[in-house]
Amino acid sequence: MGQYCWVLIIVGRLLKRKLTWIMKNPVHISAIALVGLLTFLIVSHKKQLYDAPVNVLVVEEHHEVLQYWFDLFKMGERKKKTVLVHIDGHSDSAPPQNIRGYPFFRPPTNLSELKTMYQRNDVFIQQAVMASWIDRVIWVWPHWDAMQHKDGHSTIIMKLGFFKRKVKDNEETSFCFCQNLTLANEVCIYLTNDDNQDTDVAVLDSDTICSIVKVYQWEQMNVQEFDMLSTTTWLRDEEDVLLDIDEDYWGVHSKPDDLTAVGINETTVIEMNESIQKIVCKITAQTEKEVDMILRRIVKMVMHERRSHLETYTYARVHKEIMEYVYSKQNQGYCLNGSFGRFIELLLHRSQDQLKVISDIGFCAHTLVVNSDAAFGLCSGANEPNSTIITIHNPTEHEIVQQSQLVLKALISLLRDHKDKVLLVTIARSGRDGFTPNQYQQYIESLLLKGLKDIFGVIDIEYSPNLLGGRTGWI
């Protein structure tokens, strides 16, 4: 509707000029001539009339995009196929779990079914293919991930299906997907959902058959090859585009490694999180940042007390000072109760270097996508300490600018003649799960949004209510 209002406003302004001339030079204008005039005015100002804003949605956890894709495609039957352009530090191509109520190889029909799809941050693409929202994928991987790729550009035929397996004496139906690593070697994998293993991804044995339901094309390439796509017919007439960008494309920082570097092991992290969960009540996106500030302040109070009273500080003295501070905050809408004793005791046993890292990392909910009752604790993300599964890359500011220029240059070339085919742009911050470096998140996003404005002219930005730190981000 807004687009037609722009048409009327522009035509009205132009008619005003033309009618002024007509009043000074009276002539007989027939209905046909008037229609011709309107047609001329509309065609000659086509660019202004059709520069409708492109919707850009900023989310925190990447699988939150499922909500927006659901809203986009639930309006009616799709008339075109959809290509996902996925610019990300990770492929996010793992298969989901087939839990109770999951829409089995069909689109979800209601919010209850959609909720079963909110599982983790690396399965949403396969879920979208299963739901018939996506028909083809182009994954652009970052330069720092080059060691994981044999070629700069490769095409894989992905096959999604299911198989039967025994779990605790019960037969269950699980999802699987297969791909050809070589011409003669097809590998099928699935999620084990086994916390006792180092990885939850397993390969199907040769005797187990993955019954294929969906087959689609997956292309993966570096940004230079992505730019070269503009010289090809990369987008067909019957295809639209979903543009999806993860800010961890620019780098991945491991907070658990920061903790390990100063001697804080996983057991200590678990103990600290348990002590925090006993004193923090239900967390919402609105109160999360305030509670984090309170807990960081407590950490800094311990640091200050130890510096100022190296010989005389005691647990009782620190506890009294902290509880006076907490009581002063109780009537400001934050939910803090229970005993702070264990939390304070754990802090007092930490060195100054350890306390500084704890303060720098901060405290947050582990997820807010599924529900607001998620565990609250150290904001250390989902990565395991010293993990070799996730590639860590700490970028420089210069590198971020350079890579942004390459990505945006490629997007300008590819979308120059296809802007009207972009259905939606989604941006994932990936800070809560511990990927995007905190110190660069705002800078990366500002460069990205500026570039999108340069590409599309007008963008309409919507920020998720679940963002870590709110619209301004986590500092």
Side-chain angles (χ1 to χ4, degrees):
M1 187 65 184
Q3 177 176 321
Y4 298 112
C5 290
W6 296 351
V7 171
L8 293 174
I9 291 169
I10 295 171
V11 171
R13 289 175 179 172
L14 292 168
L15 275 177
K16 182 178 179 181
R17 299 175 189 171
K18 296 293 181 182
L19 288 174
T20 302
W21 178 83
I22 290 170
M23 292 298 291
K24 294 180 179 179
N25 303 274
V27 293
H28 174 70
I29 298 183
S30 65
I32 295 176
L34 183 58
V35 170
L37 175 61
L38 287 171
T39 302
F40 167 76
L41 293 172
I42 291 174
V43 171
S44 63
H45 290 79
K46 181 178 179 181
K47 184 179 185 304
Q48 297 178 46
L49 299 178
Y50 289 97
D51 265 353
V54 172
N55 291 325
V56 177
L57 304 168
V58 181
V59 301
E60 181 60 52
E61 298 165 80
H62 213 150
H63 48 306
E64 194 177 349
V65 301
L66 291 169
Q67 169 69 65
Y68 299 99
W69 291 350
F70 172 75
D71 293 338
L72 179 67
F73 293 117
K74 74 179 180 181
M75 303 305 294
E77 185 178 347
R78 292 172 60 211
K79 296 181 180 179
K80 288 189 174 184
K81 294 183 180 297
T82 305
V83 179
L84 175 69
V85 176
H86 179 62
I87 301 172
D88 197 311
H90 311 91
S91 67
D92 297 335
S93 60
Q97 296 285 346
N98 184 26
I99 64 178
R100 182 183 296 275
Y102 191 93
F104 194 79
F105 285 98
R106 62 172 176 80
T109 57
N110 53 55
L111 293 178
S112 178
E113 289 187 340
L114 179 65
K115 189 174 180 179
T116 66
M117 298 171 70
Y118 291 147
Q119 296 183 14
R120 35 189 276 177
N121 60 7
D122 61 350
V123 303
F124 66 95
I125 293 180
Q126 303 289 33
Q127 290 175 316
V129 174
M130 290 178 180
S132 298
W133 293 340
I134 292 172
D135 304 281
R136 185 160 65 93
V137 176
I138 297 173
W139 171 37
V140 183
W141 45 264
H143 71 97
W144 47 266
D145 197 43
M147 293 294 292
Q148 307 299 323
H149 303 270
K150 183 179 179 181
D151 301 304
H153 183 176
S154 58
T155 301
I156 301 169
I157 300 302
M158 288 280 198
K159 303 174 183 179
L160 299 176
F162 65 93
F163 71 103
K164 303 287 186 179
R165 64 172 176 148
K166 281 286 186 71
V167 179
K168 296 179 180 178
D169 297 326
N170 295 319
E171 186 176 71
E172 293 185 359
T173 299
S174 298
F175 293 125
C176 48
F177 85 85
C178 307
Q179 60 182 0
N180 288 325
L181 299 181
T182 65
L183 291 176
N185 183 21
E186 183 174 78
V187 175
C188 300
I189 69 171
Y190 68 100
L191 292 186
T192 64
N193 200 25
D194 188 349
D195 294 333
N196 295 320
Q197 298 186 14
D198 292 335
T199 174
D200 52 9
V201 177
V203 178
L204 279 179
D205 59 62
S206 57
D207 296 329
T208 305
I209 297 175
C210 181
S211 300
I212 304 303
V213 179
K214 288 270 188 181
V215 178
Y216 71 101
Q217 178 178 292
W218 176 285
E219 288 184 83
Q220 52 192 39
M221 63 198 72
N222 59 34
V223 69
Q224 289 79 15
E225 292 290 333
F226 182 51
D227 194 10
M228 289 296 293
L229 283 185
S230 61
T231 63
T232 68
T233 308
W234 74 279
L235 190 66
R236 295 182 278 270
D237 291 340
E238 69 274 14
E239 292 178 322
D240 284 328
V241 176
L242 284 174
L243 177 56
D244 178 63
I245 305 172
D246 196 320
E247 293 177 9
D248 72 13
Y249 174 89
W250 282 263
V252 172
H253 181 74
S254 174
K255 295 177 183 177
D257 287 352
D258 291 344
L259 292 167
T260 302
V262 293
I264 299 178
N265 58 31
E266 190 174 359
T267 301
T268 301
V269 172
I270 292 173
E271 288 179 342
M272 187 161 291
N273 286 342
E274 289 176 348
S275 71
I276 293 168
Q277 287 155 22
K278 291 179 180 178
I279 57 179
V280 176
C281 309
K282 183 176 180 179
I283 287 292
T284 67
Q286 289 70 39
T287 61
E288 180 180 37
K289 194 167 186 176
E290 286 79 1
V291 173
D292 165 68
M293 291 174 64
I294 291 173
L295 296 181
R296 287 201 209 203
R297 173 62 179 158
I298 290 173
V299 175
K300 290 177 181 178
M301 288 171 70
V302 173
M303 294 176 68
H304 174 75
E305 186 69 19
R306 292 178 62 169
R307 279 197 304 266
S308 303
H309 307 89
L310 290 176
E311 304 297 331
T312 61
Y313 83 90
T314 63
Y315 169 82
R317 176 174 177 161
V318 175
H319 186 275
K320 179 176 181 295
E321 182 181 353
I322 287 174
M323 293 314 299
E324 288 176 354
Y325 169 70
V326 171
Y327 290 144
S328 72
K329 298 291 183 181
Q330 285 287 43
N331 296 322
Q332 297 187 21
Y334 316 131
C335 189
L336 299 171
N337 59 22
S339 172
F340 278 72
R342 181 57 178 159
F343 178 55
I344 297 172
E345 182 182 357
L346 287 168
L347 293 179
L348 287 171
H349 282 85
R350 306 275 71 83
S351 68
Q352 292 293 84
D353 288 342
Q354 290 175 336
L355 290 173
K356 183 180 185 308
V357 171
I358 291 171
S359 176
D360 290 343
I361 287 176
F363 307 88
C364 66
H366 294 168
T367 179
L368 283 180
V369 172
V370 179
N371 60 68
S372 58
D373 294 324
F376 190 92
L378 273 171
C379 203
S380 53
N383 296 328
E384 297 294 329
N386 300 311
S387 173
T388 57
I389 298 174
I390 301 297
T391 302
I392 304 301
H393 178 74
N394 293 300
T396 64
E397 190 171 310
H398 173 73
E399 180 189 342
I400 290 171
V401 172
Q402 184 182 52
Q403 293 304 312
S404 297
Q405 291 171 344
L406 291 174
V407 168
L408 295 169
K409 175 180 175 291
L411 287 174
I412 289 171
S413 299
L414 288 163
L415 299 177
R416 181 182 294 111
D417 300 322
H418 303 297
K419 294 178 187 178
D420 59 330
K421 285 177 165 284
V422 178
L423 302 175
L424 192 65
V425 179
T426 48
I427 298 173
R429 287 184 175 175
S430 293
R432 190 183 299 282
D433 48 19
F435 290 105
T436 306
N438 281 355
Q439 71 270 33
Y440 290 127
Q441 184 275 313
Q442 290 183 342
Y443 187 53
I444 292 169
E445 193 168 298
S446 65
L447 291 175
L448 191 51
L449 291 176
K450 181 182 182 302
L452 291 174
K453 289 177 183 176
D454 292 339
I455 293 170
F456 295 108
V458 183
I459 60 174
D460 185 5
I461 307 172
E462 178 182 341
Y463 293 89
S464 164
N466 297 322
L467 292 174
L468 179 63
R471 177 171 172 171
T472 58
W474 191 251
I475 303 175

